[in-house]
């Protein structure tokens, strides 16, 4: 049973260069000037106050740190990147070019780009929002070079022994005496001039590829960082003395924390040894004790390790809850998978699992590659938000049903909002409404969808039981035909409770069929809630469907529920 502790933060992921872009040209492989780009300054106090009112507690600004790009900023002293090692015209925000600088695309005045980011941090804090940015520890852009590093800081690779494939104090892994070869068929957008890319000796590629010629499907635009693990010799660990990369990364984290950044979403955290995290997170928290660290992680076998030895605050719940809910939203899958997640993967640390249905890596719910209808997220979103006391995340535009239908550039037409190219997001632009941030251009369905999300976040923030209550799965008392009309493959029922508040939550994932059923709450569940299983109670609906039901605890709860819907009752 989950300990009564609240970690119920609500993270809103903002793809910074898309958020405020009101340009609607959306030309395939359009340049910055053709398709436009959002700026730090576009995320105004009004926008932030509206997000706070909506129910957001933390803004995750994606793509803040300077990354490789095909856009030429050499007039500002920023070296040009070779297009053969950049993905998309705008470039991947996970191919970091300078850990001590911000993306020039995001500044109105490129010369004062850092001041514009610092002003965004200040505006965010004034709106009572915490600031999260990406920390990308596993790899850097192939042409990494820090122009803005503080005095005395040594650059990555500056003191490496390039003739050694592995040295614990090297920042990179080398393929001595071999020249890097660009993958075949790297797509170069129209009108982009090319020049040969030279790298000697070749360095290992970001996704652990130790080849001088990675494939087009590899993270060929990045170089793997060396944390003292000898990958080609049994992954032996060499952590004494402290590797150079560890020290450099600690200093980078402290640099951003000093600017007022409240937390870090750590990209591909499990590709970096947990021992590093177990060292660096306490190092940062010694100076900034309230800083939070979120791990992008996909291996349930490593969850406990990265939480308790790696000292992370929160982990992605992708391969567990997200994947289970996605199958249900697509019209297949089984609610028994939800029970399996808490029983076998994260039951005793569920409050530290970050739940979500969208982010920049995943396909949009409304797209033809996923649910095809953004309203099919209703039961899944309620489960994500209320199953336990842990954090929740939304991706910008999820709440208005963003549905990418065009190929934007490098990533093609894949149901995702582009990470790599300049673009405008029309559904989100309708909410931005020329900078009013009032949803004035949304259609009725979009307004209805956003209201669902707003109502859900209000419930999350005002319910003690959801914030910090215990959890009790009721599937075992209703499945296998025990409850007439209860489809145990498509329905999921549970309790959240504290001494002060008891909630019954019933979710119907059947996209097409409602049902009339009787929900059994067994004697043990009543006793766990501190109530008599012989008592009489009133159930008051507190979410979307106003209704009151009077019940005898030992007789079950007669209930009708529509297709693709949720009932939330407070038991009194």
């Amino acid at each position: 049973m989950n300990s009564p502790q609240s970690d119920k933060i609500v993270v809103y992921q903002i793809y910074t260069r898309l958020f405020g872009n009101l340009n609607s040209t959306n030309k395939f492989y359009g340049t910055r000037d053709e398709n436009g780009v959002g700026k730090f300054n576009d995320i105004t106090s009004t926008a932030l106050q509206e997000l706070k009112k909506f129910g957001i507690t933390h803004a995750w600004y994606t793509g803040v740190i300077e990354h490789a790009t095909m856009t030429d900023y050499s007039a500002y002293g920023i070296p040009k990147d070779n297009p053969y090692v950049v993905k998309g015209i705008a470039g991947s925000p996970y191919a970091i070019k300078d850990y001590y600088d911000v993306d020039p695309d995001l500044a109105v005045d490129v010369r004062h780009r850092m001041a514009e980011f610092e002003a965004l941090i200040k505006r965010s804090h004034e709106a009572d929002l915490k600031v999260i940015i990406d920390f990308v520890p596993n790899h850097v852009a192939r042409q990494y070079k820090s122009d803005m590093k503080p005095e005395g800081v040594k650059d990555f690779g500056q003191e490496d022994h390039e003739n050694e494939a592995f040295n614990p104090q090297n920042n990179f892994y080398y393929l001595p005496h071999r020249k890097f070869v660009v993958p075949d068929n790297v797509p170069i957008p129209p009108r982009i001039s090319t020049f040969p890319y030279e790298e000697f000796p070749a360095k290992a590629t970001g996704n652990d590829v130790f080849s001088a010629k990675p494939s087009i499907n590899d993270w060929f635009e990045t170089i793997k960082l060396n944390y003292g693990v000898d990958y080609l010799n049994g992954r032996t660990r060499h952590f004494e003395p402290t590797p150079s990369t560890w020290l450099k990364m600690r200093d980078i984290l402290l640099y951003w924390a000093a600017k007022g950044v409240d937390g870090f979403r750590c990209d591909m955290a499990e590709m970096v040894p947990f021992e590093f995290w177990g060292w660096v997170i306490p190092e940062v928290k010694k100076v900034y004790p309230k800083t939070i660290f979120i791990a992008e992680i996909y291996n349930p076998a490593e969850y406990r390790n990265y939480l308790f030895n790696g000292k992370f605050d929160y982990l992605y719940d992708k391969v567990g809850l997200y994947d289970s809910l996605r199958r249900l939203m697509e019209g297949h899958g089984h609610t028994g998978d939800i029970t399996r997640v808490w029983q076998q993967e994260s039951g005793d640390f569920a409050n530290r699992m970050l739940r979500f249905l969208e982010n920049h890596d995943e396909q949009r719910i409304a797209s033809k590659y996923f649910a095809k209808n953004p309203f099919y997220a209703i039961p899944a979103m309620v489960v994500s938000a209320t199953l336990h006391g842990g954090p929740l995340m939304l991706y910008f535009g999820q709440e208005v049903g963003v549905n990418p239908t065009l190929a934007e550039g490098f990533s093609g037409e894949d149901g995702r909002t582009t990470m790599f190219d300049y673009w405008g997001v029309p559904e989100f632009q309708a909410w931005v409404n020329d900078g009013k941030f009032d949803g004035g251009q949304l259609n009725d369905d979009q307004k209805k969808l956003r209201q669902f999300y707003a109502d859900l976040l209000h419930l999350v923030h005002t319910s003690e039981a959801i914030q910090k209550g215990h959890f009790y799965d009721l599937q075992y008392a209703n499945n296998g035909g025990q409850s007439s009309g209860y489809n145990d493959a498509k329905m999921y029922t549970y309790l959240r409770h504290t001494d002060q508040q008891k909630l019954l939550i019933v979710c119907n994932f059947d996209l097409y069929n409602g049902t009339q059923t009787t929900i059994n709450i067994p004697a043990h569940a009543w006793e766990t809630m501190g109530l008599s299983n012989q008592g009489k109670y009133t159930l008051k609906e507190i979410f979307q469907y106003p209704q009151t039901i009077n019940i005898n605890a030992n007789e079950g709860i007669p209930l009708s529920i529509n297709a693709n819907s949720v009932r939330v009752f407070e038991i009194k």
Side-chain angles (χ1 to χ4, degrees), residues 187-366:
I188 301 296
R191 307 179 308 283
I192 295 292
S193 59
T194 61
F195 48 100
Y197 175 69
E198 303 289 339
E199 180 181 309
F200 183 87
K203 303 177 187 73
T205 290
N207 58 324
D208 300 353
V209 171
F210 289 76
S211 164
K213 185 180 180 180
S215 84
I216 190 73
N217 297 316
D218 290 318
W219 304 348
F220 66 87
E221 81 283 20
T222 68
I223 298 170
K224 174 81 175 176
L225 283 166
N226 172 9
Y227 283 81
V229 179
D230 190 350
Y231 280 81
L232 300 184
N233 287 290
R235 299 194 176 214
T236 53
R237 285 155 143 73
H238 305 265
F239 300 152
E240 297 288 344
T242 304
S244 162
T245 304
W246 291 30
L247 299 169
K248 285 181 165 66
M249 286 303 193
R250 176 198 60 190
D251 293 346
I252 288 162
L253 287 164
L254 289 169
Y255 172 84
W256 292 104
K259 290 188 178 297
V261 169
D262 303 291
F264 298 92
R265 177 267 187 192
C266 300
D267 185 69
M268 297 307 298
E270 66 190 305
M271 295 183 78
V272 172
F274 72 86
E275 293 93 339
F276 163 72
W277 298 113
W279 172 80
V280 81
I281 290 174
E283 284 281 298
V284 174
K285 290 193 177 191
K286 274 194 295 195
V287 188
Y288 302 100
K290 294 184 178 178
T291 309
I292 65 169
F293 286 82
I294 301 169
E296 180 192 16
I297 185 167
Y298 299 107
N299 181 3
E302 288 294 320
Y303 286 175
R304 194 171 296 277
N305 198 14
Y306 277 74
L307 273 179
F308 299 107
N309 296 320
K311 311 291 187 189
F312 272 98
D313 296 288
Y314 304 114
L315 309 180
Y316 266 38
D317 194 349
K318 197 276 179 190
V319 298
L321 195 63
Y322 169 90
D323 284 354
S324 300
L325 294 175
R326 176 167 178 149
R327 290 190 290 271
L328 287 160
M329 292 163 67
E330 291 174 332
H332 54 100
H334 195 292
T335 54
D337 290 339
I338 303 172
T339 299
R340 180 193 56 76
V341 167
W342 72 259
Q343 282 184 341
Q344 299 179 22
E345 285 183 9
S346 58
D348 60 340
F349 49 80
N351 59 303
R352 296 174 67 183
M353 301 302 292
L354 178 74
R355 270 65 191 257
F356 57 85
L357 296 180
E358 284 191 355
N359 63 45
H360 66 277
D361 286 317
E362 308 302 339
Q363 289 162 328
R364 291 286 195 167
I365 294 162

Side-chain angles (χ1 to χ4, degrees), residues 478-543:
N478 291 281
N479 62 13
Q482 296 177 80
S483 301
S484 174
Y486 192 89
N487 181 350
D488 56 19
K490 296 294 184 185
M491 294 182 68
Y492 191 70
T493 304
Y494 52 102
L495 301 166
R496 295 296 310 282
H497 62 95
T498 63
D499 290 344
Q500 277 68 46
Q501 188 182 42
K502 334 289 182 186
L503 298 183
L504 169 69
I505 302 173
V506 186
C507 302
N508 183 15
F509 286 92
D510 192 318
L511 300 176
Y512 310 108
N513 301 297
T515 190
Q516 180 74 40
T517 186
T518 300
I519 301 296
N520 292 318
I521 300 181
H524 180 261
W526 288 111
E527 291 161 10
T528 300
M529 290 191 289
L531 300 176
S532 168
N533 69 320
Q534 300 298 315
K536 295 186 176 185
Y537 302 101
T538 299
L539 271 63
K540 183 181 179 184
E541 170 75 62
I542 60 170
F543 184 62

Side-chain angles (χ1 to χ4, degrees), residues 453-470:
Y453 280 92
D455 291 345
L456 178 59
L457 296 183
H458 177 75
L459 176 67
V460 162
H461 288 307
T462 57
S463 167
E464 179 188 90
I466 291 169
Q467 286 276 321
K468 57 184 178 182
H470 294 288

Side-chain angles (χ1 to χ4, degrees), residues 12 14 19-22 39-57 59 61 120 123-124 126-129 396 399 428 431-439 450:
Y12 191 77
I14 290 174
F19 182 94
N21 181 23
L22 297 182
K39 308 290 185 182
F40 293 129
N41 289 2
D42 293 330
I43 308 172
T44 63
S45 294
T46 301
L48 294 165
Q49 287 158 10
E50 287 300 319
L51 291 177
K52 180 67 180 179
K53 195 189 305 179
F54 183 53
I56 304 306
T57 63
Y61 297 117
L120 174 59
R123 285 196 301 280
S124 302
E126 287 169 349
D128 195 25
L129 292 170
F396 88 107
E399 71 280 14
F428 195 71
W431 176 72
V432 173
N433 191 22
D434 296 323
K436 299 185 187 73
F437 301 98
D438 61 0
R450 194 173 191 276

